[in-house]
Amino acid sequence: MKNLKKLGATLEKLYMGIGAVAMGLLAFMVIFTVIMRYCFSLSWKSVSEFNVMLFTFTTFWAMGLNVLKGEHVSINILYDKIKPAIKRWIAVFNYLVMLVVDILFIKYGWAYTVKMGKQISMGMEIPMKYMYGVMPVCGVICAVCIIIKMVMAIVAPVSEFEPQDQPLGE
């Protein structure tokens, strides 16, 4: 079990690192293109399209990170009043709903990639399947993250489901 946790921590760091590098590259490329456009009147359609591809990648890549880090939107007013033993099964149900939505995302993302992926992009002149393929690939990664969180919710001690957020002023 210890080795499995160590592997999980390493994979999470790798996952976070890839996202951070992509986000850093996106920030650099946007700044570069703005400076080149406004200071030197230079613009490249391939660089602009690459920026769109990076933005798409970082958006969908972050889906799984949000699941792993619990950074999705939640309103805990009612949830915090429920007994911790019941919260576990509400959490599992929530993860099941997330998984169903993610599976639909994968299904339709894959269908769209297959249907539209044969087109050639205007800027980089590559098949669009590389841009559209980000959706189902990141959806599968997100599904793995959801399953991991679901298993963690099932095996976690009840104390993990105690109220986490404290009202301001207390």
Side-chain angles (χ1 to χ4, degrees):
M1 189 64 155
K2 189 176 181 181
N3 288 338
L4 189 59
K5 284 185 179 185
K6 190 174 180 181
L7 175 66
T10 302
L11 290 175
E12 186 177 351
K13 284 180 186 176
L14 177 65
Y15 188 28
M16 185 71 92
I18 291 170
V21 167
M23 187 61 79
L25 182 59
L26 176 62
F28 172 78
M29 293 300 292
V30 168
I31 292 167
F32 172 77
T33 55
V34 168
I35 290 171
M36 296 307 285
R37 184 179 309 124
Y38 290 106
C39 295
F40 304 105
S41 297
L42 294 172
S43 180
W44 300 276
K45 62 182 178 180
S46 58
V47 174
S48 295
E49 192 172 276
F50 182 70
N51 287 348
V52 170
M53 190 168 183
L54 268 175
F55 181 74
T56 305
F57 174 79
T58 57
T59 300
F60 291 119
W61 190 258
M63 289 186 331
L65 288 173
N66 285 334
V67 171
L68 287 177
K69 298 294 185 180
E71 294 293 331
H72 44 51
V73 176
S74 63
I75 300 171
N76 296 339
I77 292 172
L78 297 175
Y79 184 73
D80 283 345
K81 296 191 184 312
I82 298 171
K83 293 179 183 176
I86 297 171
K87 282 184 187 179
R88 171 193 320 270
W89 301 111
I90 291 173
V92 169
F93 176 76
N94 287 341
Y95 287 125
L96 281 172
V97 170
M98 289 170 62
L99 188 59
V100 167
V101 170
D102 190 54
I103 288 170
L104 289 172
F105 174 75
I106 294 166
K107 176 185 174 186
Y108 290 109
W110 178 257
Y112 191 75
T113 301
V114 168
K115 185 173 185 171
M116 304 303 286
K118 294 179 182 97
Q119 295 177 348
I120 302 297
S121 71
M122 299 286 277
M124 294 187 293
E125 299 180 1
I126 60 172
M128 290 298 286
K129 66 182 176 185
Y130 296 113
M131 184 177 284
Y132 299 141
V134 168
M135 292 184 294
V137 168
C138 290
V140 168
I141 293 170
C142 183
V144 170
C145 294
I146 293 168
I147 292 167
I148 288 168
K149 290 297 282 190
M150 193 182 320
V151 170
M152 288 173 65
I154 292 170
V155 301
V158 175
S159 62
E160 290 289 321
F161 297 96
E162 294 291 333
Q164 300 297 318
D165 299 325
Q166 296 299 321
L168 294 175
E170 285 189 17

PDB file of all heavy atoms in Angstrom, residues 41-54:
ATOM      1  N   SER A  41       4.630  44.690 -35.600  1.00  0.00           N
ATOM      2  CA  SER A  41       3.616  44.400 -36.634  1.00  0.00           C
ATOM      3  C   SER A  41       3.838  43.042 -37.293  1.00  0.00           C
ATOM      4  O   SER A  41       3.634  42.874 -38.494  1.00  0.00           O
ATOM      5  CB  SER A  41       3.580  45.505 -37.697  1.00  0.00           C
ATOM      6  OG  SER A  41       3.198  46.725 -37.117  1.00  0.00           O
ATOM      7  N   LEU A  42       4.277  42.075 -36.500  1.00  0.00           N
ATOM      8  CA  LEU A  42       4.488  40.713 -36.995  1.00  0.00           C
ATOM      9  C   LEU A  42       3.448  39.783 -36.385  1.00  0.00           C
ATOM     10  O   LEU A  42       3.170  39.846 -35.192  1.00  0.00           O
ATOM     11  CB  LEU A  42       5.883  40.215 -36.628  1.00  0.00           C
ATOM     12  CG  LEU A  42       7.061  40.939 -37.272  1.00  0.00           C
ATOM     13  CD1 LEU A  42       8.372  40.469 -36.667  1.00  0.00           C
ATOM     14  CD2 LEU A  42       7.059  40.725 -38.778  1.00  0.00           C
ATOM     15  N   SER A  43       2.890  38.936 -37.219  1.00  0.00           N
ATOM     16  CA  SER A  43       1.902  37.972 -36.750  1.00  0.00           C
ATOM     17  C   SER A  43       2.022  36.700 -37.588  1.00  0.00           C
ATOM     18  O   SER A  43       2.196  36.772 -38.811  1.00  0.00           O
ATOM     19  CB  SER A  43       0.496  38.565 -36.889  1.00  0.00           C
ATOM     20  OG  SER A  43      -0.460  37.658 -36.436  1.00  0.00           O
ATOM     21  N   TRP A  44       1.934  35.562 -36.911  1.00  0.00           N
ATOM     22  CA  TRP A  44       2.012  34.279 -37.598  1.00  0.00           C
ATOM     23  C   TRP A  44       0.764  33.477 -37.255  1.00  0.00           C
ATOM     24  O   TRP A  44       0.460  33.257 -36.073  1.00  0.00           O
ATOM     25  CB  TRP A  44       3.245  33.496 -37.142  1.00  0.00           C
ATOM     26  CG  TRP A  44       4.526  34.204 -37.403  1.00  0.00           C
ATOM     27  CD1 TRP A  44       5.225  34.204 -38.567  1.00  0.00           C
ATOM     28  CD2 TRP A  44       5.278  35.001 -36.491  1.00  0.00           C
ATOM     29  NE1 TRP A  44       6.366  34.960 -38.432  1.00  0.00           N
ATOM     30  CE2 TRP A  44       6.423  35.459 -37.166  1.00  0.00           C
ATOM     31  CE3 TRP A  44       5.091  35.384 -35.162  1.00  0.00           C
ATOM     32  CZ2 TRP A  44       7.383  36.268 -36.570  1.00  0.00           C
ATOM     33  CZ3 TRP A  44       6.041  36.200 -34.560  1.00  0.00           C
ATOM     34  CH2 TRP A  44       7.163  36.619 -35.264  1.00  0.00           C
ATOM     35  N   LYS A  45       0.070  33.012 -38.283  1.00  0.00           N
ATOM     36  CA  LYS A  45      -1.160  32.258 -38.019  1.00  0.00           C
ATOM     37  C   LYS A  45      -0.855  30.921 -37.345  1.00  0.00           C
ATOM     38  O   LYS A  45      -1.644  30.444 -36.547  1.00  0.00           O
ATOM     39  CB  LYS A  45      -1.989  32.080 -39.287  1.00  0.00           C
ATOM     40  CG  LYS A  45      -1.336  31.302 -40.391  1.00  0.00           C
ATOM     41  CD  LYS A  45      -2.223  31.233 -41.618  1.00  0.00           C
ATOM     42  CE  LYS A  45      -1.517  30.480 -42.732  1.00  0.00           C
ATOM     43  NZ  LYS A  45      -2.328  30.391 -43.922  1.00  0.00           N
ATOM     44  N   SER A  46       0.292  30.338 -37.633  1.00  0.00           N
ATOM     45  CA  SER A  46       0.622  29.059 -37.001  1.00  0.00           C
ATOM     46  C   SER A  46       0.875  29.233 -35.501  1.00  0.00           C
ATOM     47  O   SER A  46       0.488  28.390 -34.696  1.00  0.00           O
ATOM     48  CB  SER A  46       1.829  28.416 -37.683  1.00  0.00           C
ATOM     49  OG  SER A  46       2.938  29.274 -37.636  1.00  0.00           O
ATOM     50  N   VAL A  47       1.497  30.344 -35.112  1.00  0.00           N
ATOM     51  CA  VAL A  47       1.751  30.597 -33.692  1.00  0.00           C
ATOM     52  C   VAL A  47       0.431  30.878 -32.975  1.00  0.00           C
ATOM     53  O   VAL A  47       0.199  30.393 -31.868  1.00  0.00           O
ATOM     54  CB  VAL A  47       2.749  31.762 -33.502  1.00  0.00           C
ATOM     55  CG1 VAL A  47       2.906  32.120 -32.031  1.00  0.00           C
ATOM     56  CG2 VAL A  47       4.112  31.393 -34.098  1.00  0.00           C
ATOM     57  N   SER A  48      -0.441  31.644 -33.622  1.00  0.00           N
ATOM     58  CA  SER A  48      -1.763  31.918 -33.026  1.00  0.00           C
ATOM     59  C   SER A  48      -2.554  30.632 -32.849  1.00  0.00           C
ATOM     60  O   SER A  48      -3.203  30.431 -31.820  1.00  0.00           O
ATOM     61  CB  SER A  48      -2.536  32.897 -33.902  1.00  0.00           C
ATOM     62  OG  SER A  48      -1.899  34.143 -33.923  1.00  0.00           O
ATOM     63  N   GLU A  49      -2.493  29.762 -33.833  1.00  0.00           N
ATOM     64  CA  GLU A  49      -3.212  28.488 -33.724  1.00  0.00           C
ATOM     65  C   GLU A  49      -2.594  27.593 -32.652  1.00  0.00           C
ATOM     66  O   GLU A  49      -3.311  26.889 -31.934  1.00  0.00           O
ATOM     67  CB  GLU A  49      -3.207  27.767 -35.076  1.00  0.00           C
ATOM     68  CG  GLU A  49      -4.151  26.599 -35.116  1.00  0.00           C
ATOM     69  CD  GLU A  49      -4.270  26.048 -36.507  1.00  0.00           C
ATOM     70  OE1 GLU A  49      -5.075  26.585 -37.275  1.00  0.00           O
ATOM     71  OE2 GLU A  49      -3.555  25.064 -36.811  1.00  0.00           O
ATOM     72  N   PHE A  50      -1.279  27.637 -32.521  1.00  0.00           N
ATOM     73  CA  PHE A  50      -0.616  26.880 -31.465  1.00  0.00           C
ATOM     74  C   PHE A  50      -1.068  27.374 -30.092  1.00  0.00           C
ATOM     75  O   PHE A  50      -1.288  26.577 -29.178  1.00  0.00           O
ATOM     76  CB  PHE A  50       0.911  26.983 -31.613  1.00  0.00           C
ATOM     77  CG  PHE A  50       1.664  26.187 -30.588  1.00  0.00           C
ATOM     78  CD1 PHE A  50       1.662  24.800 -30.623  1.00  0.00           C
ATOM     79  CD2 PHE A  50       2.377  26.829 -29.584  1.00  0.00           C
ATOM     80  CE1 PHE A  50       2.352  24.055 -29.665  1.00  0.00           C
ATOM     81  CE2 PHE A  50       3.067  26.102 -28.631  1.00  0.00           C
ATOM     82  CZ  PHE A  50       3.056  24.716 -28.669  1.00  0.00           C
ATOM     83  N   ASN A  51      -1.231  28.697 -29.952  1.00  0.00           N
ATOM     84  CA  ASN A  51      -1.738  29.252 -28.696  1.00  0.00           C
ATOM     85  C   ASN A  51      -3.138  28.752 -28.388  1.00  0.00           C
ATOM     86  O   ASN A  51      -3.452  28.426 -27.237  1.00  0.00           O
ATOM     87  CB  ASN A  51      -1.726  30.785 -28.735  1.00  0.00           C
ATOM     88  CG  ASN A  51      -0.339  31.360 -28.631  1.00  0.00           C
ATOM     89  OD1 ASN A  51       0.611  30.659 -28.315  1.00  0.00           O
ATOM     90  ND2 ASN A  51      -0.213  32.636 -28.917  1.00  0.00           N
ATOM     91  N   VAL A  52      -3.983  28.677 -29.398  1.00  0.00           N
ATOM     92  CA  VAL A  52      -5.343  28.150 -29.206  1.00  0.00           C
ATOM     93  C   VAL A  52      -5.273  26.693 -28.771  1.00  0.00           C
ATOM     94  O   VAL A  52      -5.991  26.257 -27.868  1.00  0.00           O
ATOM     95  CB  VAL A  52      -6.185  28.308 -30.490  1.00  0.00           C
ATOM     96  CG1 VAL A  52      -7.494  27.546 -30.390  1.00  0.00           C
ATOM     97  CG2 VAL A  52      -6.436  29.778 -30.785  1.00  0.00           C
ATOM     98  N   MET A  53      -4.376  25.938 -29.393  1.00  0.00           N
ATOM     99  CA  MET A  53      -4.223  24.526 -29.035  1.00  0.00           C
ATOM    100  C   MET A  53      -3.725  24.378 -27.590  1.00  0.00           C
ATOM    101  O   MET A  53      -4.222  23.527 -26.848  1.00  0.00           O
ATOM    102  CB  MET A  53      -3.269  23.836 -29.993  1.00  0.00           C
ATOM    103  CG  MET A  53      -3.224  22.351 -29.853  1.00  0.00           C
ATOM    104  SD  MET A  53      -2.337  21.650 -31.253  1.00  0.00           S
ATOM    105  CE  MET A  53      -2.522  19.932 -30.900  1.00  0.00           C
ATOM    106  N   LEU A  54      -2.778  25.214 -27.185  1.00  0.00           N
ATOM    107  CA  LEU A  54      -2.291  25.181 -25.805  1.00  0.00           C
ATOM    108  C   LEU A  54      -3.391  25.554 -24.820  1.00  0.00           C
ATOM    109  O   LEU A  54      -3.518  24.949 -23.756  1.00  0.00           O
ATOM    110  CB  LEU A  54      -1.116  26.142 -25.628  1.00  0.00           C
ATOM    111  CG  LEU A  54       0.275  25.586 -25.838  1.00  0.00           C
ATOM    112  CD1 LEU A  54       1.314  26.698 -25.746  1.00  0.00           C
ATOM    113  CD2 LEU A  54       0.598  24.488 -24.860  1.00  0.00           C
TER     114      LEU A  54
END
